[in-house]
Amino acid sequence: MKVAVTVMLKDGVLDPQGRAIGQALTTLGFGGIGEVRAGKLIELELAETDPERARARATEMARRLLANPVIESFSVHIPTEA
Amino acid sequence: MKVAVTVMLKDGVLDPQGRAIGQALTTLGFGGIGEVRAGKLIELELAETDPERARARATEMARRLLANPVIESFSVHIPTEA
């Protein structure tokens, strides 16, 4: 089944990519833009068929490889359309 | 209000980053991993307070800057926790 892992920089960690996106949008004429934060979305197709076990495995993968726990936080969810 | 834009490579477009993540997970001992796809998640804080207008603006931003329509598809959603 499909599992999605979202990895974002923690609040308080400077996000230069997000800031660059915000400035580019302002330059393009978009107004009223506050904070912009850029993160990663990783979709994994797992052989696991039980949602709880798939979620647990994806959490373990995020801890060990996908996220850097020093500066990033992550969340795991099962896409509803899958 | 906060709006999230998800940008993924279209189906059929080779995703080397996703493939590298899949191989790294397998090397770490995780089994049963099928396709892995890596995308971007961009969270924007907009001055707009109407959800429909915020969504429309974020869609316009995605079309003009955040996604490359040749190889990427995007979706816009309003995070429920915001």
Side-chain angles (χ1 to χ4, degrees):
Chain A
M1 71 185 307
K2 196 177 272 188
V3 186
V5 179
T6 302
V7 180
M8 299 294 289
L9 286 168
K10 286 180 180 171
D11 283 340
V13 177
L14 184 67
D15 182 352
Q17 188 185 0
R19 193 171 287 195
I21 291 170
Q23 286 172 354
L25 287 170
T26 302
T27 304
L28 279 175
F30 291 103
I33 294 174
E35 194 180 21
V36 180
R37 295 189 75 79
K40 286 175 285 185
L41 176 66
I42 298 144
E43 287 184 356
L44 305 137
E45 185 66 45
L46 302 182
E48 200 65 67
T49 53
D50 176 66
E52 275 319 300
R53 286 171 61 104
R55 189 187 295 267
R57 278 182 71 77
T59 302
E60 175 74 10
M61 290 173 191
R63 280 215 190 89
R64 290 194 54 199
L65 181 77
L66 306 176
N68 174 354
V70 178
I71 55 169
E72 292 172 330
S73 60
F74 66 88
S75 64
V76 175
H77 66 276
I78 312 283
T80 44
E81 68 267 63
Chain B
M1 70 185 309
K2 195 177 273 189
V3 186
V5 179
T6 302
V7 181
M8 298 295 288
L9 286 168
K10 285 180 181 170
D11 284 339
V13 177
L14 184 67
D15 182 351
Q17 189 186 358
R19 192 170 288 195
I21 291 170
Q23 286 172 354
L25 287 171
T26 302
T27 303
L28 279 175
F30 291 102
I33 294 174
E35 194 181 20
V36 179
R37 294 190 76 78
K40 286 175 285 185
L41 175 67
I42 298 143
E43 286 184 356
L44 306 136
E45 184 67 45
L46 302 182
E48 200 66 66
T49 53
D50 176 65
E52 275 319 300
R53 287 170 61 102
R55 188 186 296 267
R57 280 182 70 78
T59 302
E60 175 75 10
M61 291 173 191
R63 280 217 191 87
R64 289 193 55 198
L65 180 77
L66 306 176
N68 174 355
V70 177
I71 55 168
E72 293 172 329
S73 60
F74 66 87
S75 64
V76 175
H77 66 274
I78 312 283
T80 44
E81 67 268 63

